[in-house]
Structures are given as C-alpha cells and as structure tokens.
Amino acid sequence: MSTKTSDAVSYKELGLSNSRELFKKAIDGKYAIPGYNFNNMEQLQAIIIGCAKSNSPVILQVSKGARKYANSTLLRYMAMGAVQMALKDYGSNIPIVLHLDHGDSFETCKSCIDYGFSSVMIDGSALSFEDNIAVTKKVVEYAHPRDVSVEGELGVLAGIEDEVSHEKSSYTNPDDVEEFVKRTGVDSLAISIGTSHGAFKFKVKPGEKPPPLRFDILEEIERRIPGFPIVLHGSSSVIPKYVDMINEYGGKLEGTCGVPEDQLRKATKSAVCKINIDSDGRLAVTAMIRKVLAEQPGQFDPRKYLGPAREELIKMIIHKNEEVLGSAGKA
Ligand code: G3H
Ligand code: 13P
Ligand code: ZN
C-alpha cells in the first residue's frame, strides 16, 4: 500500500459520484435526493445502510466543523470505505456523493476537492450579491475542470449555518437568481423560502401549526430558471417522537419546531431536488443514547449505546427516503 499522504485525489478514485445526473433524474422523477450530515462512524454507517436498504442515491454531507472533528485525511478513507461497504456487504451500488456543506471560502472548497469530495457548496449568502458571485464563480472555475459539482446559495436562512448564526432570515429574491446562475455557472442553488437550521425553526404556540413554506417564491424562482436544480436547507422535521424521548430520559428541549413532512413532500414535486437533513439525525441518536443509558445506568461499553442509536438512525433514514423525499428505489 502507498504511504503517500500529500497528493490530491479525485473522487472518482474513491468510487464516488458527482450530483449532476442525480439532480436531472430527481427533477424529472419528482423526488429529492437526501443530503444527510455526518460527523462520525456510526452516523456514516447508518446513512449508507439506510440508503442501501431503501435503494436511494445519497449525498453525504460534511460541514467545515465536521471535517475538523473527524479529520480530513480520515474522512477521505471513511468515504472510500462507505462505498466499499455498500457494495461488498449490502450488494448495493447506490450513487454516493461526498459533499462539503456550507463551504465558507474558496480555500475550504479547494481543499475538499483535493481531498476527494465530489461536490462542494460555497455559501456566499452572507456576502453582497457581487462578492457572492465572485467567490462562487472562482469555486466553479476550480471545480468544473475536475468534474466536481458546485452548490451556491442566495437568500439567508435563520438559525446556525456552520458556526455562523443568523437571527433574521431573508427570502431569496427571484429577481436575482437568473443573473446569479448565469454569471457563476453553479450546478444547483440553495434558496431561502422559510426553512431554517436547527431544532427551533418556528416560534409557535402549543397546538399551532408552523407557517407554510413560501411556495409562491419557489414557483417564481422556477419560472425564472426553469428546470434548474434547487436545494432546500434546514429541512429537518424535528421529529416530536425523538424530542419527547430526549425529554423523558433527562434532556431538556423546549420550544422545538420543524418543517412538517407534508411541506417537504410538496417541495419534492418541484425543481427542489436536494433536501438537507442534519438535526433530525442528531435527535434520533441523542434520544436513543439517553434511553439506553437511563435504562441501563451501569452500561459503559460505547457499542451498547451507539449501536442502538445507529439502528434508530437507519430506521429514520429509511422512513425519510420512503415517505418524505421519494428517493427510495431511485438509485
Ligand atoms: O447547516 C449546518 C449543518 O447542520 C452542519 O452543522 O456546522 O454544526 O456541523 P455543524
Ligand atoms: P437541519 O438543521 O434542519 O437539519 O438542516 C440541515 C442543513 O441544512 C445542513 O446544511
Ligand atoms: Zn444548511
């Protein structure tokens, strides 16, 4: 085995796919590809097993913070291992994309591409329109000759985006999208239509429904850039079952609220072809770890609580693919 560590590697050598073809098929087939975030081995296993079992294409998402946590060299081999595991142990050759979530600079995007990512997001949404265009275009110019896909963002989501917290959201302005897409050359566009990051998306009174997403803005965007791949961030439903489990077993989560599943199902019928989910996975894992440790206070073998947490996450992923995103059976 080679001991070289410094050379750049193409995602193709790792067995990964970019997202271009996947998005085309998803728009035509009226479903969305899941973008699931991971930080550790159990989450990665659960995402791959859940998607292999439901025969769904998958976008493995890594934030800048997750990359630092898991180590970028290790990540490269984890992604390669994930492809091999799907093939060898599950007889599945589902397309697997390794994607940088909320890339904050050209340098972060370049580093991920050099480390084998097949897709990167450059999030210039907090910049001026011109600065967002400039940095996004620079990333596209580095990514496209390497056949790596690029996601840009217009509009600001409320909540926390990779250590940057925005108190106020601003919806994407449909007047901006055509020019942004043309001048940058991006492959997909993340938009803001009312979703937000984290477990506290809407302030609603008990029994009240959260406000519907702004499908009128989405329709106007689709009219301006017909057939162009659209991405929804902040799309966890903040599954009440897991919030209740966390609270039952010693946690304290108050005032949580997510995007209802019917809103997401409706979005998949449009040009929305990628839906990002991180918080729901975190909740499922935490709920199960809390339950096991509360019921077995003498337990100290991590496999005995991380294993059940992984099983719960597999169930959640299969549910999302089959019942919400419609990606099951589309690999
Ligand atoms: O959109 C943000 C993702 O949920 C990643 O979060 O930066 O805490 O890893 P993180
Ligand atoms: P959630 O916090 O709703 O899971 O959103 C995750 C996300 O958008 C990752 O980019
Ligand atoms: Zn996001």
Side-chain angles (χ1 to χ4, degrees), residues 300-311:
F300 64 96
D301 179 346
R303 294 171 297 184
K304 295 293 193 303
Y305 50 86
L306 295 178
R310 182 175 62 195
E311 283 309 307

Side-chain angles (χ1 to χ4, degrees), residues 83-132:
V83 174
Q84 293 293 313
M85 181 183 84
L87 263 176
K88 286 190 179 151
D89 298 298
Y90 294 88
S92 167
N93 63 350
I94 53 167
I96 300 174
V97 177
L98 182 63
H99 174 78
L100 167 67
D101 192 27
H102 296 284
D104 60 344
S105 64
F106 169 77
E107 287 70 27
T108 305
C109 292
K110 179 183 180 299
S111 164
C112 285
I113 294 169
D114 293 345
Y115 267 83
F117 282 56
S118 57
S119 174
V120 291
M121 173 188 193
I122 172 70
D123 181 354
S125 61
L127 304 173
S128 70
F129 186 62
E130 283 303 322
D131 288 349
N132 190 358

